[in-house]
């Protein structure tokens, strides 16, 4: 889902994510989504969301809602119930020159990596791994240009994984490879996919 505060090419993003990672089903939400007030606050904002979002997404594993409104704690995202995640691209132009579309793809992949339980969050510093916490939010620029899962995270994942989990991870890594190539060239990921 996206609200009216943010211009994104969601249809193109969803179509290409489904093409690159066919083992994961991505769909575009239709229910109206808006963040009341000036800030996203967890859990308060989550309790005020349109109930049609839950109805429409009842069978989905994750619900990602994109906005330009900032979090009160300056995070990119939080989740109250473990299923709905409001993602804020507030101040994007101060963090990177890359397109917000690249950011959407990056954050979708980051959330999927966390859902697959690949590695752990790198909280001490930005390493370029998608599991970085981004205390320094400008690290998102390097993250999109690198767009990878570090060896340490992969190693911990491989010791306890299934074949289906590996297939899902391969799909996410395929998306990340395209994102990295586009981002290193300073290209909007949707334009890259259209080439």
């Amino acid at each position: 889902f996206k609200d009216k505060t943010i211009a994104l090419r969601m249809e193109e993003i969803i179509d290409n994510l489904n093409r690159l990672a066919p083992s994961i089903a991505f769909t575009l939400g239709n229910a109206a989504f808006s963040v009341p007030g000036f800030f996203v606050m967890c859990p308060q904002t989550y309790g005020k969301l349109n109930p049609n979002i839950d109805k429409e997404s009842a069978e989905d594993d994750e619900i990602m809602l994109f906005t330009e409104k900032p979090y009160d704690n300056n995070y990119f995202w939080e989740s109250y119930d473990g299923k709905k995640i409001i993602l804020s691209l507030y101040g994007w132009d101060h963090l990177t020159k890359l397109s917000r579309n690249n950011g959407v793809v990056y954050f979708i992949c980051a959330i999927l990596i966390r859902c697959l339980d690949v590695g752990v969050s790198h909280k001490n510093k930005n390493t370029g791994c998608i599991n970085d916490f981004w205390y320094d939010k400008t690290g998102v620029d390097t993250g999109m240009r690198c767009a990878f899962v570090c060896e340490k995270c992969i190693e911990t994942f491989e010791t306890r994984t299934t074949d289906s989990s590996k297939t899902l991870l391969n799909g996410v890594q395929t998306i990340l490879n395209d994102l990295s190539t586009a981002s290193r060239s300073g290209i909007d990921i949707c334009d890259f996919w259209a080439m």
Side-chain angles (χ1 to χ4, degrees):
F1 296 84
K2 73 175 191 69
D3 67 10
K4 293 181 180 180
T5 66
I6 192 165
L8 299 170
R9 294 160 67 179
M10 291 303 290
E11 293 84 3
E12 294 170 69
I13 290 170
I14 296 300
D15 287 347
N16 282 288
L17 295 181
N18 282 316
R19 175 180 60 82
L20 293 168
S23 59
I24 306 170
F26 299 92
T27 58
L28 186 59
N30 294 312
F33 161 58
S34 65
V35 173
F38 296 106
F39 296 100
V40 180
M41 295 181 284
C42 188
Q44 296 90 333
T45 302
Y46 287 80
K48 298 175 184 174
L49 294 176
N50 179 352
N52 290 328
I53 293 171
D54 285 332
K55 290 176 188 172
E56 181 181 336
S57 307
E59 301 299 315
D60 296 330
D61 294 320
E62 298 293 329
I63 306 167
M64 300 176 204
L65 306 115
F66 291 92
T67 184
E68 283 278 336
K69 289 193 176 182
Y71 267 93
D72 61 339
N73 58 12
N74 200 33
Y75 282 10
F76 283 118
W77 79 75
E78 280 189 290
S79 177
Y80 175 63
D81 62 6
K83 182 173 179 175
K84 283 189 299 294
I85 304 164
I86 300 174
L87 296 108
S88 170
L89 276 68
Y90 175 76
W92 191 255
D93 296 331
H94 297 288
L95 304 175
T96 180
K97 293 183 182 196
L98 294 172
S99 166
R100 284 167 174 76
N101 296 314
N102 295 40
V104 166
V105 172
Y106 187 60
F107 290 143
I108 288 171
C109 289
I111 289 167
L112 291 172
I113 290 295
R114 284 163 175 80
C115 290
L116 290 169
D117 199 23
V118 179
V120 295
S121 180
H122 303 287
K123 292 190 175 182
N124 295 332
K125 64 178 182 174
N126 290 334
T127 64
C129 175
I130 198 157
N131 274 323
D132 286 348
F133 185 79
W134 311 293
Y135 277 120
D136 175 0
K137 290 177 84 169
T138 60
V140 75
D141 180 81
T142 301
M144 288 183 289
R145 294 174 196 276
C146 294
F148 76 103
V149 184
C150 74
E151 278 184 43
K152 185 175 180 183
C153 288
I154 294 290
E155 286 172 7
T156 60
F157 174 73
E158 287 181 344
T159 61
R160 54 179 167 61
T161 191
T162 63
D163 287 341
S164 62
S165 293
K166 285 182 183 177
T167 300
L168 296 172
L169 176 59
N170 288 338
V172 175
Q173 288 178 305
T174 299
I175 296 165
L176 287 172
N177 287 339
D178 275 8
L179 178 63
S180 175
T181 301
S183 297
R184 285 194 319 264
S185 300
I187 300 171
D188 184 311
I189 188 65
C190 293
D191 294 336
F192 174 80
W193 283 329
M195 292 179 174

